[in-house]
């Protein structure tokens, strides 16, 4: 709605008859109705007057509500400001029941019903206005959500699924410390052992393996931890990783949580799982996005999340402190491949990261 054109519509003032009517009905407000065509659109104008002002013979409205087919806006005359607040919110501002609005003539009530295509004469005009305001606000909110989803999808269109190379990097580098030598205790001189990394089976002297003791695998030469098959059970190791990508003129940091889950009975078998926890997009400052299910799109979408700088201090709970630190400190090992191309043409092109890959 064009505010400049709406302002030019002449203001309808109350009069003596309105004063007499308000003295009798004892309502808090009076509403007078206008109709106009603005930019080729049918427009309904609702002028609101304070009953106390009318009784004092001050006949100017304190606000005007403009309705078009799909929108509405309120103009406060003295403050010279615009608002999209509904009638029920105006009640809190004025300190009086906004529902106590008088409409003096049947013709004006009929004009409101006709504009909103309401054929039921039993419907209260003020309730009808409130319903239409809520309906228009809901429609605009839905449009904003759709536009926001579309904009975020456009931003992340260049983000592709992770490759097998990245998965191997998660398994063997990010969770490098997650390596075990499983052994079955025996009274024999030599004990059977299995390395979870290289899958090799070999024997060690009985005096060497000790549960949770560090040791270097003699085959793959990687640091490992002994796990007795009778004591290990099911357990998991966790870590974080960050994959840096470029989208248009922005840098995207994709944060992954990674897990290795080991089966019981010390077989050395494990499953690798990971999920993308959130994305941080950097242009002039960071914007954070996290995945949520959208009933609107019927799928998981990325939604922007505002990180309150006082989040850590207001809620002294373990989970919220961990969540705040996780998001703001950007933990995790950085995927080192292709960084040179990612940073090319950005302020980070000559950063201190040694691009060895």
């Amino acid at each position: 709605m064009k505010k400049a054109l709406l302002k030019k519509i002449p203001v309808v003032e109350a009069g003596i008859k309105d004063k007499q009517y308000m003295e009798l009905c004892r309502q808090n407000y009076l509403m007078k109705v206008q109709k106009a065509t603005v930019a080729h659109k049918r427009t309904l104008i609702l002028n609101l007057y304070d009953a106390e002002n009318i009784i004092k013979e001050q006949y100017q409205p304190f606000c005007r509500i403009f309705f078009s087919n799909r929108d509405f806006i309120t103009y406060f005359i003295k403050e010279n400001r615009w608002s999209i607040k509904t009638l029920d919110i105006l009640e809190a501002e004025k300190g009086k029941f906004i529902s106590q609005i008088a409409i003096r003539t049947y013709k004006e009530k009929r004009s409101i019903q006709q504009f909103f295509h309401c054929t039921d004469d039993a419907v209260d005009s003020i309730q009808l206005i409130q319903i239409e305001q809520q309906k228009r606000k809901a429609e605009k909110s839905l449009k904003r959500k759709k536009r926001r989803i579309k904009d975020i999808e456009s931003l992340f269109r260049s983000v592709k699924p992770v490759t097998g190379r990245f998965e191997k990097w998660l398994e063997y580098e990010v969770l490098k410390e997650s390596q075990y030598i499983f052994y079955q205790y025996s009274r024999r001189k030599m004990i059977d052992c299995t390395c979870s990394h290289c899958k090799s089976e070999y024997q060690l002297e009985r005096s060497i393996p000790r549960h949770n003791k560090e040791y270097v695998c003699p085959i793959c030469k990687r640091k490992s931890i002994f796990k007795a098959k009778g004591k290990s059970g099911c357990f998991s190791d966790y870590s974080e990783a960050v994959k840096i990508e470029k989208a248009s003129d922005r840098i995207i940091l994709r944060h992954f949580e990674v897990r290795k889950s080991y089966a019981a009975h010390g077989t050395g078998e494990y499953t690798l799982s990971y999920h993308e926890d959130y994305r941080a997009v950097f242009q002039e400052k960071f914007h954070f996005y996290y995945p949520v299910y959208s009933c609107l799109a019927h799928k998981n979408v990325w939604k922007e999340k505002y990180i309150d700088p006082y989040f850590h201090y207001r809620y002294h709970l373990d989970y919220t402190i961990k969540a705040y630190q996780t998001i703001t400190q950007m933990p995790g090992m950085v995927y080192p491949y292709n960084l040179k191309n990612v940073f090319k043409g950005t302020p980070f092109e000559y950063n201190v990261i040694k691009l060895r890959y």
Side-chain angles (χ1 to χ4, degrees), residues 22-23 27 48 50 53 98 121 134 143 149 164 179 205 234-235 246 261 275-276 297 301 310-311 328 337 344 350:
M22 295 309 291
E23 287 173 338
Q27 297 282 68
L48 266 179
D50 196 314
N53 292 339
I98 202 73
D121 290 337
Q134 295 293 348
K143 282 183 180 179
I149 290 171
Q179 182 168 327
E205 291 184 12
C234 296
F235 64 95
K246 187 178 179 181
S261 301
H275 74 275
E276 196 169 354
V301 299
Y310 300 104
F311 181 85
T328 54
Y337 301 95
K344 190 174 181 180
Y350 303 103

Side-chain angles (χ1 to χ4, degrees), residues 47-233:
N47 301 282
L48 266 179
Y49 310 78
D50 196 314
E52 291 180 358
N53 292 339
I54 291 177
I55 292 169
K56 293 174 186 176
E57 298 186 358
Q58 297 172 6
Y59 296 138
Q60 283 283 338
F62 69 87
C63 78
R64 309 179 80 194
I65 305 172
F66 300 90
F67 275 95
S68 67
N69 286 338
R70 294 184 176 275
D71 204 359
F72 80 92
I73 193 166
T74 303
Y75 177 58
F76 291 89
I77 298 171
K78 284 185 179 179
E79 297 94 329
N80 190 27
R81 67 181 175 88
W82 297 87
S83 172
I84 54 168
K85 292 179 178 177
T86 53
L87 281 177
D88 55 334
I89 297 176
L90 286 177
E91 179 178 320
E93 282 192 357
K94 298 294 289 183
K96 301 173 185 175
F97 289 109
I98 202 73
S99 55
Q100 294 182 358
I101 299 175
I103 300 175
R104 191 165 64 85
T105 66
Y106 174 78
K107 184 180 178 181
E108 289 176 308
K109 292 179 181 178
R110 190 64 186 156
S111 295
I112 293 170
Q113 289 179 329
Q114 286 175 347
F115 184 85
F116 295 128
H117 306 289
C118 178
T119 56
D120 188 358
D121 290 337
V123 176
D124 182 73
S125 299
I126 305 304
Q127 286 183 348
L128 181 59
I129 292 165
Q130 289 177 318
I131 290 167
E132 291 295 329
Q133 282 183 325
Q134 295 293 348
K135 188 197 300 184
R136 281 159 171 73
K137 285 202 81 170
E139 287 174 355
K140 289 182 76 174
S141 176
L142 189 63
K143 282 183 180 179
R144 281 196 303 272
K145 286 180 182 177
K146 285 182 177 179
R147 187 167 57 247
R148 202 176 296 123
I149 290 171
K150 193 175 179 181
D151 290 343
I152 294 173
E153 284 181 345
S154 177
L155 171 63
F156 293 141
R157 191 170 290 136
S158 63
V159 176
K160 296 177 182 177
V162 297
T163 60
R165 185 185 191 185
F166 179 74
E167 290 180 343
K168 285 185 178 180
W169 176 79
L170 292 177
E171 184 174 359
Y172 297 119
E173 293 299 329
V174 176
L175 285 167
K176 187 177 182 178
E177 302 299 322
S178 179
Q179 182 168 327
Y180 301 93
I181 299 173
F182 293 94
Y183 69 95
Q184 179 66 58
Y185 179 77
S186 172
R187 293 186 178 276
R188 293 180 300 171
K189 185 178 180 181
M190 304 299 288
I191 291 179
D192 294 330
C193 300
T194 304
C195 175
S196 65
H197 175 71
C198 62
K199 312 299 181 188
S200 300
E201 296 181 1
Y202 47 83
Q203 291 186 328
L204 294 173
E205 291 184 12
R206 187 177 63 190
S207 60
I208 297 175
R210 289 290 183 272
H211 188 64
N212 289 335
K213 176 186 174 183
E214 286 189 1
Y215 192 74
V216 175
C217 174
I219 307 300
C220 62
K221 309 299 181 184
R222 290 170 69 107
K223 186 172 71 174
S224 306
I225 297 173
F226 280 118
K227 287 288 183 183
K229 292 184 178 181
K231 296 180 180 179
S232 59

Side-chain angles (χ1 to χ4, degrees), residues 297-335:
H298 302 293
K299 61 179 181 180
N300 282 330
V301 299
W302 291 94
K303 182 179 178 182
E304 186 170 2
K305 182 175 185 178
Y306 172 70
I307 306 301
D308 188 339
Y310 300 104
F311 181 85
H312 179 276
Y313 304 101
R314 283 213 305 255
Y315 308 104
H316 294 282
L317 301 173
D318 291 341
Y319 171 76
T320 55
I321 290 173
K322 181 180 181 296
Y324 175 80
Q325 290 175 340
T326 298
I327 292 171
T328 54
Q329 294 177 9
M330 294 302 297
M333 187 182 292
V334 176
Y335 186 60

